[in-house]
Amino acid sequence: MVPGVGQQLAASAGGAAGGTDGTPVVVLLHGAGSGTDTPLLRRLTELLVVAGVTVGRLEMPYRVAGRKAPDRPARLDAVLMAAVAALTGGAPPAEGAPRRLALAGASMGSRVAVRTARAVGARAVLALGFPLNPPPPRPSLRESPGTPARDRPSRQVELSGAGVPVRVVQGERDSFGRPEPDPRRGVEVVVVAGADHSFKVRVRDCRAAEEVIEEAAMLGATWLLQRLDVPSSPAGGSGRPVS
């Protein structure tokens, strides 16, 4: 039981994810050190709302309380499930008839999304900057902070185990590493040129910050609208698929 989840969930547009015939809904989940008001999540919200999707923007309890350190994974997962129950009136997903519901998470939020997607009856997950490998340890520990991502434990199994279609939109320079596509399990990966884990760019990449945000948001929104059977959708982005 997660008390007060309604105070942490802000909705854009109306409707509810009551079932296959209900209003399409996307629940947004933020990263560990940021909220749902980042430029990318704001733009994604705008694109979805214009297309008629209800967007629930979930702020985790630790951020609402002003803490920097995220809660444990089990707590984060429970909050997400309570938020979905609040949006759907607590009704369980019908057997064989998934709701018009999808999850979209940035970094840490994408991990929560892939862990809970099947339990909440989501049709799909959009992972914006999936943190494939844990961050390097602090210098005081045995491993050097410069340890390459490929030499750190991988969360690929967690990603591939979502049980629903997943689109990963990943920055080309993501220091957490790049997930592998897993077509057999419905995982696809699209790379945004020049972007880092937070979809920021350097001057030498010769790309405007706004251009990168627009590309990542369009790649996410277009795919989500297709998965939610929303007939009108924005033009797709130009990200590079990984095969």
Side-chain angles (χ1 to χ4, degrees), residues 101 114 139 174 197 236:
L101 167 70
V114 298
D174 196 318
H197 184 67

Side-chain angles (χ1 to χ4, degrees), residues 37-104:
D37 60 347
T38 63
L40 176 53
L41 293 183
R42 286 202 308 269
R43 183 57 181 147
L44 178 63
T45 298
E46 292 170 356
L47 292 171
L48 293 173
V49 169
V50 165
V53 176
T54 292
V55 179
R57 292 165 287 120
L58 179 62
E59 295 285 333
M60 287 295 178
Y62 75 92
R63 285 190 55 82
V64 176
R67 300 194 305 272
K68 292 184 178 180
D71 296 312
R72 293 182 180 276
R75 169 70 170 171
L76 299 173
D77 295 356
V79 171
L80 182 276
M81 289 189 280
V84 171
L87 282 172
T88 61
E95 185 68 28
R99 300 177 173 124
R100 294 182 74 189
L101 167 70
L103 307 177

